[in-house]
Amino acid sequence: MLTLASKLKRDDGGKTGRASGASDSTHRISIRDRLLTKEVAELEAHLPSTCKASFPDEDKLHHFQLAVSPDEGYYQSGRFQFEIDVPEAYNMVPPKVRCLTRIWHPNITENGEICLSLLREHSIDGTGWAPTRTLKDVIWGLNSLFTDLLNFDDPLNIDAAEHHLRDKEDFRNKVQDYIKRSAR
Amino acid sequence: MADAEEPEKKRRRIEDVTEKMAVDGGHRDGGCDWDGRWNHVRKFLERPGPFTHPDFEPSTESLQFLLETCKILVIGAGGLGCELLKNLALSGFRLIHVVDMDTIDVSNLNRQFLFRPKDVGRPKAEVAADFINSRIPGCKVVPHYKKIQDFDDSFYRQFHIIVCGLDSIIARRWMNGMLISLLSFEDGVLEPSSIIPLIDGGTEGFKGNARVILPGMTACIDCTLELYPPQINFPMCTIASMPRLPEHCIEYARILQWPKEKPCRDTSLDGDNPEHIQWVFERAQERAAEFNITGVTYRLTQGVVKRIIPAVASTNAVIAAACATEVFKIATSAYIPLNNYLVFNDVDGLYTYTFEAERKENCSACSQVPQDLQFPSSAKLQEVLEYLTENASLQMKSPAITTTLEGKNKTLYLQSVKSIEERTRPNLCKTLKELGLSDGQELAVADITTPQTVLFKLNFTT
């Protein structure tokens, strides 16, 4: 174990270190930005065919939109817009996602709140967010909300789930109706 | 049974007793060390012993260093911070700065002993500094009622050692990242004089930990991020339809029923109002009965509503003592420092364990020694791109290059997302200077050939 005190004592008082012009905190690349550089660069290569990403500002890699157009199931023919915001504390915390399109879905409210365990900072069963997950996983999760992860048993929009339970055909019609009105 | 003393006699007796207290020494002016004041410290520094560091030579210089030169930064003036300030000040450290962005709350008073009821509402850092400065002659604690993020590297560089008593992982990571950014490398080798040791302490109830971090040399906060337990946060869908725990029932009452039923005429739920808590408690009990869940108590309700993690004074005392001891050891080099992670748990009996946390190979914070890139400031971005793809040891395919300017990301060029490629293509023809880059600028480069983002440092040759 190194003893540093001798070195510490030597430069008591005027400690300057190697002061290079750009090494102050306004130029230091945050962990989030470092991760995003890699994850965004890899984004398009791993997008499912039903998804498209768009960046309104090329400098704001932490803010983008994802359009999901399911090609099977109840939500076929719809085009759903999600807004993804990656907070400063990423990847200790998950990205924040909202659904911008009005939808009739058991796991997405009509106001756009999404119930996806992957996006939870901590979920009891360990399927929540972890620093080992990436944007790729988030996109996959969102895409799956229309297929594998469509879950009527643990709903956020209870009315939609109960509707499906009562009358599947009517549920389908309402889904398609919402799509006609806002998801084209 | 003695008679009650006359007030005058009692007052004089108390005066006598307090006047004779040796610890005050009767001196109120700074810098006046009465005879024997630092004998307890001298015992460690001016004579050899069986536990001293192999390279240790007894001398009076170490004490002088502590008293006159060693600058310590204490982050947090709460449970751990108060203990740390006391310990450091009584050990001879005089040049101490303390940073805390909080003000004093009445619930702090049971353990944050530098504060009194009259101080409620005042900034913790300022009250703590005042207390220590007037209680310990010669000690000069400088308070900062600020967030750690309000300071830049020039502030942090002035300290010899930094001790943290923080209450959030995010803050720890920020501090960790800041100290790593202060490291300087000569030809890829770390310069020891740029290392500022970070002693980090954390407590939660009856559990605590203390660790010694030498940025760039030993495991950093991010290297051991998985050791932190996940923070409890309950999913809305579970709360709404499938509760399993008493906490879910309480959250249901707090989040869903309160706003709907508005029992107190539109006021928002106040965790300090017993009536509000009682209301939530009763609703939660009803819901728990519905789902056959046990465990809803008034106390749990309070805890969940106020997001309370109960704090125990003794845990703070233990961990702060461990941290202050490490500061002392490192500042004086008299003893071998903790190597490097101590855990403490007195939930049931007493347990402590120390292990050497190892650096993570691909740690996102400390595994990167930025590689040097030499270019004239008049070089075009295109030339940098070509270097990254053509250089034999890099051989990148289509690197994405970003940087941080004025605290915000700037995407210089990103080929693999078509819409971004189109908008950043013009940058290729601009010079590095035109793009706003300066000497020492950090560039983040990601490519299919690299598992993680690689950092480079621009060195302007002209």
Side-chain angles (χ1 to χ4, degrees):
Chain A
M1 194 78 192
L2 210 69
T3 47
L4 295 168
S6 46
K7 294 181 180 63
L8 295 176
K9 284 185 220 178
R10 222 143 278 153
D11 41 30
D12 55 34
K15 277 187 81 151
T16 43
R18 190 177 76 176
S20 49
S23 68
D24 61 328
S25 57
T26 56
H27 291 249
R28 186 160 56 104
I29 303 181
S30 70
I31 291 181
R32 176 192 74 166
D33 291 336
R34 263 187 261 177
L35 291 169
L36 282 176
T37 301
K38 178 71 175 158
E39 292 184 29
V40 171
E42 289 190 327
L43 207 67
E44 284 202 342
H46 294 106
L47 277 182
S49 56
T50 47
C51 299
K52 268 196 177 42
S54 60
F55 289 82
D57 184 341
E58 70 276 10
D59 285 331
K60 293 205 173 94
L61 298 181
H62 61 274
H63 179 84
F64 63 98
Q65 301 200 338
L66 186 77
V68 183
S69 310
D71 54 6
E72 52 166 319
Y74 292 113
Y75 301 92
Q76 200 176 6
S77 80
R79 189 169 175 278
F80 305 97
Q81 281 281 71
F82 293 90
E83 186 178 69
I84 298 166
D85 248 290
V86 184
E88 284 282 2
Y90 185 76
N91 59 0
M92 203 44 189
V93 301
K96 289 196 172 59
V97 188
R98 263 180 9 104
C99 185
L100 301 174
T101 314
R102 194 147 174 259
I103 187 176
W104 189 239
H105 192 292
N107 313 116
I108 306 175
T109 67
E110 295 184 71
N111 289 331
E113 290 140 332
I114 303 171
C115 177
L116 185 60
S117 62
L118 177 63
L119 295 175
R120 296 267 155 230
E121 276 184 65
H122 172 60
S123 80
I124 317 263
D125 51 10
T127 57
W129 180 259
T132 43
R133 303 204 199 279
T134 62
L135 289 181
K136 216 184 339 170
D137 300 318
V138 173
I139 291 173
W140 180 90
L142 291 171
N143 188 42
S144 303
L145 276 175
F146 299 100
T147 56
D148 300 345
L149 296 182
L150 176 57
N151 185 347
F152 294 98
D153 300 323
D154 207 345
L156 181 59
N157 183 343
I158 304 175
D159 294 333
E162 285 178 352
H163 188 187
H164 178 261
L165 197 64
R166 274 195 321 269
D167 186 344
K168 287 187 176 45
E169 263 319 298
D170 199 47
F171 174 84
R172 179 191 295 277
N173 291 338
K174 189 161 182 182
V175 167
Q176 288 299 319
D177 184 47
Y178 269 50
I179 288 175
K180 278 191 194 68
R181 281 192 277 144
S182 42
R184 279 266 178 257
Chain B
M1 191 45 186
D3 288 11
E5 275 180 276
E6 298 165 17
E8 183 53 32
K9 228 177 166 182
K10 188 171 184 183
R11 187 190 64 80
R12 258 184 278 134
R13 185 170 70 81
I14 291 171
E15 243 182 50
D16 271 349
V17 170
T18 49
E19 256 179 39
K20 289 188 176 94
M21 271 171 81
V23 66
D24 275 341
H27 297 273
R28 276 272 168 244
D29 45 339
C32 242
D33 289 331
W34 55 91
D35 245 2
R37 182 180 187 190
W38 300 112
N39 278 355
H40 61 300
V41 182
R42 286 185 206 277
K43 285 190 169 63
F44 287 101
L45 301 177
E46 292 175 6
R47 57 185 199 178
F51 300 112
T52 53
H53 193 285
D55 298 336
F56 172 67
E57 292 289 341
S59 91
T60 52
E61 280 180 18
S62 294
L63 180 59
Q64 290 313 111
F65 176 65
L66 292 191
L67 292 171
E68 290 161 21
T69 322
C70 191
K71 230 165 162 183
I72 307 287
L73 175 63
V74 175
I75 303 188
L80 280 171
C82 287
E83 290 273 355
L84 279 169
L85 288 171
K86 158 184 72 80
N87 294 342
L88 293 172
L90 290 172
S91 303
F93 293 94
R94 285 184 158 156
L95 303 169
I96 305 175
H97 285 237
V98 60
V99 177
D100 194 309
M101 63 186 207
D102 261 336
T103 54
I104 298 166
D105 179 64
V106 66
S107 64
N108 301 146
L109 300 178
N110 72 328
R111 65 197 181 283
Q112 296 172 26
F113 52 80
L114 302 178
F115 313 142
R116 296 290 175 271
K118 63 173 168 55
D119 300 320
V120 173
R122 281 188 63 199
K124 289 189 179 183
E126 290 171 14
V127 178
D130 282 345
F131 192 111
I132 298 279
N133 290 340
S134 48
R135 180 72 172 73
I136 299 171
C139 197
K140 293 183 273 287
V141 180
V142 177
H144 299 279
Y145 174 37
K146 289 226 165 85
K147 299 205 292 282
I148 48 173
Q149 291 91 346
D150 293 336
F151 296 104
D152 64 10
D153 57 326
S154 57
F155 174 76
Y156 292 105
R157 240 187 213 114
Q158 64 181 301
F159 298 102
H160 292 100
I161 303 175
I162 298 182
V163 207
C164 287
L166 285 166
D167 60 357
S168 86
I169 296 167
I170 293 173
R172 284 184 172 85
R173 289 183 84 189
W174 190 92
M175 202 59 233
N176 185 58
M178 165 55 76
L179 294 186
I180 290 171
S181 75
L182 295 181
L183 297 175
S184 51
F185 297 84
E186 196 69 54
D187 293 326
V189 176
L190 177 58
E191 270 177 57
S193 58
S194 64
I195 300 178
I196 299 178
L198 175 65
I199 317 288
D200 177 62
T203 62
E204 194 167 294
F206 291 99
K207 303 179 198 168
N209 77 283
R211 58 192 301 187
V212 172
I213 297 171
L214 300 172
M217 278 182 67
T218 61
C220 76
I221 301 280
D222 279 51
C223 290
T224 54
L225 217 42
E226 297 90 51
L227 291 178
Y228 288 106
Q231 308 290 290
I232 305 294
N233 203 325
F234 303 108
M236 204 36 148
C237 38
T238 306
I239 293 172
S241 48
M242 262 175 64
R244 290 172 282 249
L245 298 174
E247 287 87 343
H248 296 157
C249 303
I250 297 167
E251 287 285 75
Y252 183 82
R254 180 182 79 90
I255 299 174
L256 293 173
Q257 287 178 301
W258 178 278
K260 240 196 224 168
E261 296 172 37
K262 288 202 176 76
C264 288
R265 263 170 287 123
D266 270 328
T267 45
S268 55
L269 183 51
D270 177 8
D272 288 315
N273 184 327
E275 280 174 22
H276 292 196
I277 300 288
Q278 183 64 28
W279 188 92
V280 173
F281 172 52
E282 285 167 10
R283 294 291 150 296
Q285 279 182 310
E286 284 164 18
R287 187 159 173 81
E290 224 186 291
F291 287 90
N292 272 321
I293 297 172
T294 56
V296 177
T297 63
Y298 183 86
R299 204 171 137 80
L300 183 69
T301 306
Q302 255 185 324
V304 172
V305 171
K306 291 182 75 170
R307 295 282 186 266
I308 290 175
I309 299 169
V312 178
S314 52
T315 318
N316 284 334
V318 168
I319 297 300
C323 291
T325 307
E326 294 310 312
V327 174
F328 180 80
K329 287 188 203 169
I330 292 177
T332 59
S333 291
Y335 295 83
I336 299 177
L338 177 75
N339 187 16
N340 55 40
Y341 198 117
L342 178 148
V343 304
F344 172 80
N345 184 330
D346 64 342
V347 169
D348 200 6
L350 194 80
Y351 172 80
T352 179
Y353 178 66
T354 301
F355 67 98
E356 186 178 343
E358 290 180 343
R359 291 184 78 178
K360 196 158 93 164
E361 247 186 71
N362 56 346
C363 174
S364 49
C366 76
S367 66
Q368 288 272 6
V369 176
Q371 298 181 49
D372 272 338
L373 277 182
Q374 313 259 17
F375 282 97
S377 58
S378 55
K380 299 210 169 57
L381 184 64
Q382 176 73 37
E383 293 174 48
V384 177
L385 194 71
E386 281 166 4
Y387 175 79
L388 294 171
T389 50
E390 289 163 18
N391 177 280
S393 55
L394 294 171
Q395 292 188 47
M396 295 195 176
K397 295 283 175 267
S398 56
I401 313 174
T402 64
T403 189
T404 295
L405 282 178
E406 247 128 88
K408 293 198 287 252
N409 180 68
K410 185 177 171 71
T411 307
L412 295 171
Y413 188 59
L414 203 145
Q415 232 174 303
S416 46
V417 177
K418 200 148 101 44
S419 56
I420 300 183
E421 194 277 334
E422 284 165 9
R423 280 175 279 169
T424 52
R425 205 185 303 154
N427 289 342
L428 292 174
C429 306
K430 298 201 181 134
T431 66
L432 303 179
K433 191 149 173 246
E434 280 172 348
L435 290 167
L437 308 179
S438 32
D439 186 40
Q441 187 86 28
E442 237 179 34
L443 299 179
V445 177
D447 185 61
I448 195 173
T449 55
T450 61
Q452 276 187 297
T453 303
V454 183
L455 288 180
F456 289 91
K457 217 169 193 140
L458 265 185
N459 273 334
F460 283 163
T461 51
T462 54

